[in-house]
Amino acid sequence: MTPQARRDDLIAAALDLFSSRAPELVTVDDIVSRADVSRPLFYRYFSSLRELQIEALRTVTDGLIDGLAHLDDGPPLDRLRAAVRGLISVAGNYRAGYIALLRGGSVIATSETDAVVDQVRDRAVELILEAIEIDEPTPLLLLTLRCWTAVVEGTLLAWLQEGKLPREGLDEWLVDQLVAMMAVTQARLATTP
């Protein structure tokens, strides 16, 4: 196995474990057991468990960004629903990692992981602006879009943690939220001098 393939294998083992346990509960021993490698081999590729946790979480955010980047052709709302379905899928596949990434009290939350999350948020806002063909958004529109990304994150966290929201229709409901928020913003902009 090439060094990059071995490194990717260790990350995959960690992500597999994160699907059922919070990252801060996964140990080096758990990862080496899952990847069927020795502890010394683990430390050959990662200087610490924290480094692996951050790389694994970066894999999750890269998946989120990739999901946002590959939007279907078609009307803006259809494209946005497809993007939200992609986010839901990635969040569901990496449940514990996604929760840890967004949960403020996580042991692995760092300025670096916060910056990675901000990249996903910024990309989501960029894509919405592209879809509605606005090059220079007003501050109120930008605030609306950033608030909506918080709604999406909160909804996905509730869906993953509580298990009470059905997955079916979640994308449509979230896009409907954006449409409603943008209508209120548009009305405010129309009445504000």
Side-chain angles (χ1 to χ4, degrees):
M1 192 176 281
T2 67
Q4 186 59 49
R6 176 59 69 194
R7 186 176 169 85
D8 292 345
D9 190 50
L10 288 164
I11 291 170
L15 286 171
D16 188 41
L17 291 164
F18 294 171
S19 68
S20 59
R21 280 186 272 172
E24 60 264 26
L25 299 178
V26 175
T27 66
V28 170
D29 289 334
D30 295 330
I31 294 165
V32 298
S33 176
R34 179 64 55 103
D36 197 26
V37 298
S38 66
R39 280 180 71 89
L41 190 63
F42 172 90
Y43 286 107
R44 181 183 207 184
Y45 294 98
F46 296 97
S47 62
S48 66
L49 178 58
R50 185 165 214 53
E51 180 186 352
L52 174 64
Q53 289 169 330
I54 290 170
E55 285 301 312
L57 293 177
R58 186 176 298 279
T59 299
V60 173
T61 57
D62 288 348
L64 291 170
I65 290 172
D66 287 347
L68 287 171
H70 299 100
L71 295 178
D72 297 336
D73 289 333
L77 290 180
D78 290 347
R79 294 173 60 212
L80 191 54
R81 283 186 190 95
V84 173
R85 278 193 302 275
L87 291 174
I88 293 168
S89 180
V90 171
N93 289 341
Y94 299 117
R95 181 184 178 280
Y98 183 83
I99 291 169
L101 194 61
L102 295 178
R103 193 179 55 209
S106 174
V107 173
I108 60 169
T110 65
S111 59
E112 184 178 1
T113 58
D114 290 346
V116 171
V117 171
D118 285 341
Q119 287 176 339
V120 176
R121 292 173 179 149
D122 291 344
R123 184 64 183 138
V125 169
E126 288 171 14
L127 286 168
I128 295 166
L129 290 172
E130 287 173 18
I132 59 178
E133 299 179 353
I134 294 180
D135 294 326
E136 294 185 30
T138 65
L140 190 56
L141 178 58
L142 277 177
L143 181 59
T144 300
L145 297 178
R146 289 186 180 124
C147 288
W148 181 74
T149 63
V151 168
V152 172
E153 290 171 5
T155 300
L156 292 181
L157 282 174
W159 172 65
L160 293 170
Q161 291 178 311
E162 299 167 11
K164 295 179 182 175
L165 294 169
R167 182 177 184 153
E168 299 77 32
L170 199 54
D171 59 317
E172 292 176 11
W173 181 78
L174 285 167
V175 172
D176 289 346
Q177 294 292 316
L178 177 60
V179 170
M181 291 172 75
M182 290 192 58
V184 170
T185 298
Q186 187 64 34
R188 174 61 61 111
L189 290 171
T191 61
T192 303

